[in-house]
Amino acid sequence: MARFLSILPLLAGALAHEHHGTSLFPRAAAVAPPTFGYHGLTGPLNWFNLNQTANEMCAKGTHQSPIDLSQSFLLADASSNPQISLSAAPHGAEFINLGTTVEVMGANGTLVKNGKTSKLAQFHFHSPSEHSINGVYYPLEVHFVFQADDASLSVVGFVIDIGGSSFEPLGTLAASLDEIPQHGNETITKPLDFARLERHFKKFGTYQYSGSLTTPPCSEGVAWTVSAKPIAVDMRSFNAFRDVLKFNARYTQNNPDGVNLLQNIADTLH
Ligand SMILES: *[C@@H]1O[C@H](CO)[C@@H](O)[C@H](O)[C@H]1NC(C)=O
Ligand SMILES: *[C@@H]1O[C@H](CO)[C@@H](O)[C@H](O)[C@H]1NC(C)=O
Ligand SMILES: *[C@@H]1O[C@H](CO)[C@@H](O)[C@H](O)[C@H]1NC(C)=O
Ligand SMILES: [Zn+2]
């Protein structure tokens, strides 16, 4: 925690979707242009060089995300899951295209993990999945970002496979994507319901580890919980997400406590 707080001053100025809308990065009045991307010199291999002060952890951190979730991170017994509660949004919620992802803001929810309560700040999507599970990647991943009063972040992730019918609210959100095709577009969704997602989360075990934001500044001390069982999105909805998100997944990082892969390359090139 101390380590996490010590980098807080560095967070200002970066529009990183992983913590957008949290107190670490309050939502700006207008959606600022993205300061990073997923290809070429703005992509993950070069995030450190975009700002070596702010993004130091991207190249030097040793608890980075995403990772391959192997059995060693699995808590198979669902009674070890944190408690999650996501409120229905009968009047819909704000849905924004940030250029680096699409994000729902203003929905209400809580997470209780290790006795600490955090509030839902936002949730957003990646295509393809950022985490793999036992080496297998999925077409999409959703990240529910929670923040506690002490400013610490917890993220609950679901990998998403293509199936016959979408878990709500995926289908409802997909139907709004044509209203936010470009960076800066915002809309209000139709009513959102999380009941099936919540039931799914409670029913299956989870992968848990301490990692980082998967976007610059790659800050560590983020408590990750990923449902062990994929949820589903129908093909048409998947296509809608993929076409708006394009490719927005960071590459798989080394296991926690292992050397940062970029640091390793820098060292061996000397
Ligand atoms: C790099 O990040 C630091 C710390 O957040 C900030 O003060 C500085 O303005 C940034 N530099 C550039 C060129 O954006
Ligand atoms: C979240 O809760 C606040 C306060 O009760 C309420 O004003 C807001 O409409 C809720 N958000 C949604 C998306 O329903
Ligand atoms: C999305 O934003 C662009 C650029 O600001 C604007 O030209 C376009 O009309 C917006 N599209 C929608 C559907 O609002
Ligand atoms: Zn994310």
Side-chain angles (χ1 to χ4, degrees), residues 88-93 105-108:
H91 308 293
M105 300 197 70
N108 296 303

Side-chain angles (χ1 to χ4, degrees), residues 20-235:
H20 181 245
T22 66
S23 68
L24 308 188
F25 191 88
R27 194 192 154 193
V31 183
T35 57
F36 66 94
Y38 288 92
H39 296 290
L41 290 178
T42 63
L45 288 172
N46 208 44
W47 285 348
F48 170 63
N49 285 323
L50 296 178
N51 185 327
Q52 295 194 357
T53 310
N55 300 342
E56 186 178 12
M57 295 311 271
C58 300
K60 297 186 181 171
T62 56
H63 292 81
Q64 290 288 294
S65 296
I67 56 170
D68 180 49
L69 298 167
S70 58
Q71 291 305 108
S72 59
F73 301 100
L74 178 65
L75 292 163
D77 181 355
S79 68
S80 314
N81 290 356
Q83 288 151 270
I84 191 175
S85 163
L86 301 168
S87 309
H91 308 293
E94 229 179 320
F95 197 19
I96 308 174
N97 187 326
L98 292 175
T100 50
T101 190
V102 292
E103 181 170 293
V104 175
M105 300 197 70
N108 296 303
T110 56
L111 177 78
V112 181
K113 184 166 181 171
N114 300 329
K116 187 153 84 178
T117 302
S118 304
K119 285 202 188 104
L120 181 66
Q122 41 95 344
F123 63 96
H124 62 263
F125 293 84
H126 296 272
S127 172
S129 68
E130 294 203 301
H131 289 97
S132 50
I133 297 185
N134 294 313
V136 177
Y137 79 95
Y138 292 85
L140 294 175
E141 181 168 338
V142 59
H143 289 157
F144 289 84
V145 180
F146 296 85
Q147 187 166 38
D149 285 344
D150 64 6
S152 62
L153 296 179
S154 298
V155 184
V156 172
F158 295 87
V159 295
I160 308 174
D161 210 350
I162 295 170
S165 78
S166 288
F167 275 60
E168 279 306 317
L170 302 182
T172 300
L173 293 172
S176 288
L177 284 171
D178 61 356
E179 293 161 31
I180 55 166
Q182 288 176 47
H183 169 240
N185 296 149
E186 302 189 22
T187 191
I188 303 291
T189 66
K190 297 280 189 304
L192 301 180
D193 180 78
F194 301 91
R196 188 175 175 196
L197 201 63
E198 237 183 73
R199 279 201 306 278
H200 177 96
F201 182 78
K202 286 173 182 155
K203 187 167 169 187
F204 300 100
T206 50
Y207 293 93
Q208 297 185 30
Y209 74 102
S210 178
S212 75
L213 304 176
T214 66
T215 55
C218 308
S219 317
E220 298 191 338
V222 176
W224 279 93
T225 307
V226 179
S227 180
K229 181 103 171 154
I231 59 172
V233 68
D234 67 86
M235 182 58 106

